[in-house]
Amino acid sequence: MTSSQHMLRQLGDLVGEKHLLTERDDKAWYTKGFRVGRGEALAVVVPQTLLQLWQILQICCASDAIVLMQAANTGVTGGSTPDGNDYDREVVIVSTRRLKGVQVIDQGHQVIAFPGATLTELENILAPLGREPHSVIGSSCIGASVIGGICNNSGGSLIRRGPAFTEKSLFARLHNDGRLEMVNHLGIDLGETPEEMLKRLEQQNYTTGDRPDWAGKIWADDYASQLRDTAADSPSRFNGDRRYLHESAGSAGKVVVFAVRLPTFEASPQTRTFYIGSDDEQQLVALRRMLLAEMQALPIQAEYIHRNAFDLTVRYSKHMMLAIGKLGPQALPGLMAKKARWDVRVSHLPFYRETVWTDCYNSLIRLRRVRLRLASSPIAINLNII
C-alpha cells in the first residue's frame, strides 16, 4: 500500500466514505473556483466537527500532503482551489462547508465564528439583536465565509470599520520540524490539549472575561483615522498591509483557522445609497478627498465600479438578482452546487463541447437584446412582440 493509499484509508475511516471524495466527477465542484482557479486534487475531505478537522490535519501532515482549505469556494481570490497540476506533493482539499456555527457572546457585542460560517448566516443571527457584522454579504461575492474574509483581509470598501481583522483566533500551525501545534489566542480558557479545546468550544463550555490580561484587537479600529490623512505619501489601503497581518488575519491559507473572535456593531437605523458617476477621474478624486477630510461623519462604505461592471451586470446577472430577491442570498451556495452537479452530468453527453454551449449562450443573449430593443418601440408594443 502506497503512502497516498494509506492516507486515504485513514481519512475514509475518520469521516466516512460519503465525505471522502476521490472520483473526478465528485471532486469537480471543489476543484474549480466559481470565478477563477482550477486544478487537480487527490481527494476532497468534508469534516463534520472541529475535532475531525484537527485529525485530518494530523493525517495529512504525517503523509506530507498539501492541505488546501476551502470554505465558500467563491473563486474571488483563487486560493481555495488548486492552481493547475504542477505540485510536488499530493493535494488534499478540506472543505469546511459542514463546519457552520456562530456563537454570540458578550451580550451580542461579540461573536465567535467557525470555519464554515458565512456572512449571510452571521447577519441573520445578529439581526434580531439589533446588531450587524463587520461585513454584510460582501461587495464582490455572495455566500462568502467569515473566516475567509479574515484570512484575506477583505472589506477594504468599509470606511468606518476597515478590512476584516482580528488578533483573537484559534488556529493550527505547522513548524519546520513537522510538529503540528494548536494555538489558542481567542482570549478564552479552553483547556490544554487540542481535543479538549475543540470539544469545549463546540459545546460552548467556557466563560468570557475570565482572562482580562489576554489583550488583542478584534477589528481595525484605527482604519478611519488613517483614511482621513489624505496628505500622507503612503497609500491608505493596499494588500499585505503589515498593520493587519497577525496570525490568522491575512494568513491566506498559511495556517488552518478553527475559530475567530469578532465584534458586532449597532445596526444603522436608516441608510441611503448614492451612485455618483463621472468621466473625469479628477472629479472623483476631489470628491473622495472632501468626504474623507471634511465630513464629520464618514460614509459607512464606498466602492468603485467601472462602467463595464454595469454592462456585465445587465447582460449576465439578471438571473442572480432575481434569485437573491426571491430566495435570499443564503440560497445561492446551494443553487451553485446544484449547477455544478448538472454541469458534470452534461459534460458526459457525447455531443457536449464547452465552446458549442458558449456559442449557443451568446446567441441567446444577442437574441434577447434584439427582443428588448424591439419591445422598446411603439410598433413592438402594439404587436405584443416579447
Side-chain angles (χ1 to χ4, degrees):
M1 180 183 296
T2 65
S3 174
S4 297
Q5 291 172 331
H6 179 65
M7 177 177 64
L8 291 178
R9 173 171 292 185
Q10 288 182 299
L11 292 173
D13 292 341
L14 176 63
V15 301
E17 296 300 326
K18 180 181 178 181
H19 301 295
L20 176 66
L21 312 179
T22 56
E23 297 297 327
R24 186 183 185 88
D25 287 356
D26 296 334
K27 296 183 294 184
W29 164 243
Y30 302 90
T31 55
K32 179 182 178 182
F34 177 65
R35 179 171 171 266
V36 296
R38 187 172 192 170
E40 296 296 330
L42 175 68
V44 178
V45 194
V46 190
Q48 187 173 11
T49 66
L50 295 180
L51 180 57
Q52 281 188 353
L53 175 56
W54 169 252
Q55 293 169 330
I56 288 170
L57 293 179
Q58 291 177 307
I59 293 171
C60 292
C61 289
S63 298
D64 196 29
I66 297 172
V67 175
L68 201 159
M69 298 299 297
Q70 183 179 104
N73 190 18
T74 57
V76 173
T77 63
S80 60
T81 58
D83 185 13
N85 305 314
D86 188 20
Y87 293 95
D88 60 347
R89 293 170 290 152
E90 298 287 5
V91 176
V92 175
I93 298 174
V94 180
S95 170
T96 63
R97 64 180 178 83
R98 292 201 300 163
L99 299 179
K100 296 184 179 299
V102 173
Q103 296 178 352
V104 179
I105 61 174
D106 191 24
Q107 298 179 332
H109 289 79
Q110 296 183 33
V111 296
I112 293 177
F114 288 178
T118 64
L119 293 174
T120 302
E121 177 187 358
L122 179 55
E123 183 182 1
N124 292 338
I125 289 174
L126 294 178
L129 305 177
R131 311 288 294 182
E132 60 186 21
H134 168 273
S135 303
V136 178
I137 295 182
S139 61
S140 56
C141 54
I142 304 297
S145 66
V146 177
I147 287 183
I150 292 292
C151 292
N152 290 300
N153 286 149
S154 302
S157 64
L158 298 172
I159 298 177
R160 298 182 186 177
R161 302 171 190 172
F165 171 74
T166 185
E167 295 180 354
K168 294 190 175 184
S169 63
L170 178 68
F171 63 95
R173 62 186 175 193
L174 186 65
H175 291 266
N176 291 333
D177 60 3
R179 177 171 53 91
L180 190 63
E181 178 189 16
M182 182 73 77
V183 180
N184 177 17
H185 285 168
L186 279 174
I188 299 172
D189 187 1
L190 294 172
E192 300 300 327
T193 67
E195 292 76 12
E196 182 184 8
M197 293 179 191
L198 298 174
K199 182 179 179 180
R200 289 180 57 180
L201 179 61
E202 286 189 312
Q203 296 177 351
Q204 206 164 353
N205 180 21
Y206 58 79
T207 57
T208 58
D210 56 347
R211 293 289 296 273
D213 56 314
W214 285 7
K217 290 185 176 184
I218 54 176
W219 68 292
D221 53 8
D222 59 345
Y223 187 71
S225 61
Q226 294 172 23
L227 289 183
R228 284 191 179 276
D229 187 7
T230 58
D233 294 332
S234 58
S236 58
R237 167 69 174 169
F238 57 95
N239 292 333
D241 189 338
R242 291 185 178 274
R243 291 171 295 191
Y244 308 117
L245 300 179
H246 184 87
E247 297 177 341
S248 61
S251 61
K254 299 300 188 297
V255 298
V256 175
V257 186
F258 288 75
V260 292
R261 184 170 177 174
L262 301 169
T264 68
F265 299 86
E266 185 177 354
S268 302
Q270 188 174 10
T271 61
R272 296 181 65 185
T273 301
F274 298 88
Y275 293 91
I276 303 171
S278 174
D279 290 327
D280 186 348
E281 178 185 355
Q282 294 306 313
Q283 289 182 341
L284 297 177
V285 171
L287 175 63
R288 181 179 62 184
R289 287 181 176 274
M290 185 276 292
L291 293 175
L292 294 176
E294 300 180 19
M295 286 190 67
Q296 182 177 358
L298 289 174
I300 297 174
Q301 69 180 73
E303 185 70 277
Y304 59 88
I305 306 176
H306 195 273
R307 177 183 295 165
N308 289 346
F310 283 96
D311 296 337
L312 289 171
T313 301
V314 171
R315 183 173 182 179
Y316 295 110
S317 300
K318 291 180 180 178
H319 65 293
M320 194 69 71
M321 295 174 61
L322 288 173
I324 294 174
K326 297 293 184 180
L327 305 175
Q330 67 277 1
L332 291 189
L335 291 176
M336 296 311 300
K338 290 182 175 65
K339 176 185 178 298
R341 288 193 289 269
W342 175 253
D343 289 344
V344 169
R345 296 190 184 99
V346 171
S347 67
H348 291 298
L349 297 177
F351 58 84
Y352 173 83
R353 282 206 328 270
E354 190 170 352
T355 54
V356 171
W357 287 101
T358 300
D359 291 342
C360 290
Y361 179 78
N362 290 335
S363 298
L364 289 173
I365 289 295
R366 286 193 292 271
L367 177 61
R368 171 64 175 168
R369 293 175 69 181
V370 170
R371 294 177 68 186
L372 288 175
R373 284 197 297 269
L374 289 173
S376 63
S377 67
I379 295 177
I381 292 175
N382 292 336
L383 294 175
N384 195 26
I385 303 177
I386 50 172

